[in-house]
C-alpha cells in the first residue's frame, strides 16, 4: 500500500471544507486561497483548486467578482453565498463530530 496516496486522499477529502473556511471571513482570489492552504501545510496545486472553485460556484456555494489589479490582469475574487455559509456551518458540525470520533478511536490503547 502506498502511504503517499493514502495521505493525498485524506487531504483531498477535506479540501472543499478548507476552501470554504478560507472564504468565511473575506473574499479572496485564487492565489490567496492557495497561499493560505499551503501555509497550513495542506499541499495543493492550482490544477486541483480551479476545478473545485468552479464546481462550488456551479453548486451555488460561491460567487465571484472581477477586480482590477495594480500588478497585472484583473483578479477573480471568490466569496461565500448565503447557501455557502449555511453549507459551511453544516460541515463545521460534521467535522467536529468526525474529529471527535477519530480522536476517540485513535487514542484508545
Amino acid at each position: 500500500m502506498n502511504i503517499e496516496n493514502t495521505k493525498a486522499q485524506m487531504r483531498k477529502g477535506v479540501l472543499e471544507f478548507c476552501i470554504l473556511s478560507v472564504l468565511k471571513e473575506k473574499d479572496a482570489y485564487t492565489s490567496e486561497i492557495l497561499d493560505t492552504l499551503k501555509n497550513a501545510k495542506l499541499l495543493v496545486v492550482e490544477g486541483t483548486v480551479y476545478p473545485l472553485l468552479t464546481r462550488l460556484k456551479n453548486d451555488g456555494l460561491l460567487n465571484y467578482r472581477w477586480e482590477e489589479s495594480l500588478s497585472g490582469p484583473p483578479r477573480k475574487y471568490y466569496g461565500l453565498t448565503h447557501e455557502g455559509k449555511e453549507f459551511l456551518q453544516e460541515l463545521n458540525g460534521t467535522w467536529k463530530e468526525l474529529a471527535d470520533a477519530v480522536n476517540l478511536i485513535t487514542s484508545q490503547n
Side-chain angles (χ1 to χ4, degrees), residues 44-57:
V44 293
V45 294
E46 289 181 25
T48 302
V49 173
Y50 281 108
L52 184 52
L53 289 169
T54 299
R55 187 175 61 73
L56 292 170
K57 183 193 77 63

Side-chain angles (χ1 to χ4, degrees), residues 21-41:
S21 295
V22 167
L23 297 171
K24 76 178 173 195
E25 296 300 324
K26 68 178 185 81
D27 295 355
Y29 61 100
T30 307
S31 294
E32 290 177 317
I33 295 168
L34 282 165
D35 288 346
T36 302
L37 296 172
K38 288 177 183 176
N39 288 338
K41 307 289 188 246

Side-chain angles (χ1 to χ4, degrees), residues 9-109:
Q9 290 301 316
M10 290 173 77
R11 283 191 295 270
K12 188 185 287 187
V14 298
L15 188 55
E16 180 177 307
F17 178 43
C18 290
I19 288 173
L20 294 173
S21 295
V22 167
L23 297 171
K24 76 178 173 195
E25 296 300 324
K26 68 178 185 81
D27 295 355
Y29 61 100
T30 307
S31 294
E32 290 177 317
I33 295 168
L34 282 165
D35 288 346
T36 302
L37 296 172
K38 288 177 183 176
N39 288 338
K41 307 289 188 246
L42 192 63
L43 306 173
V44 293
V45 294
E46 289 181 25
T48 302
V49 173
Y50 281 108
L52 184 52
L53 289 169
T54 299
R55 187 175 61 73
L56 292 170
K57 183 193 77 63
N58 290 343
D59 288 347
L61 303 178
L62 298 181
N63 54 28
Y64 68 86
R65 70 179 192 288
W66 289 99
E67 198 169 292
E68 291 297 323
S69 169
L70 299 174
S71 61
R75 294 176 173 164
K76 187 188 282 189
Y77 280 79
Y78 289 91
L80 294 178
T81 62
H82 177 72
E83 292 83 6
K85 290 175 184 174
E86 290 179 348
F87 191 79
L88 178 58
Q89 191 171 12
E90 285 286 324
L91 288 180
N92 274 316
T94 301
W95 177 256
K96 182 173 177 357
E97 291 171 4
L98 181 60
D100 288 347
V102 170
N103 288 332
L104 180 64
I105 291 168
T106 58
S107 67
Q108 292 177 354
N109 293 332

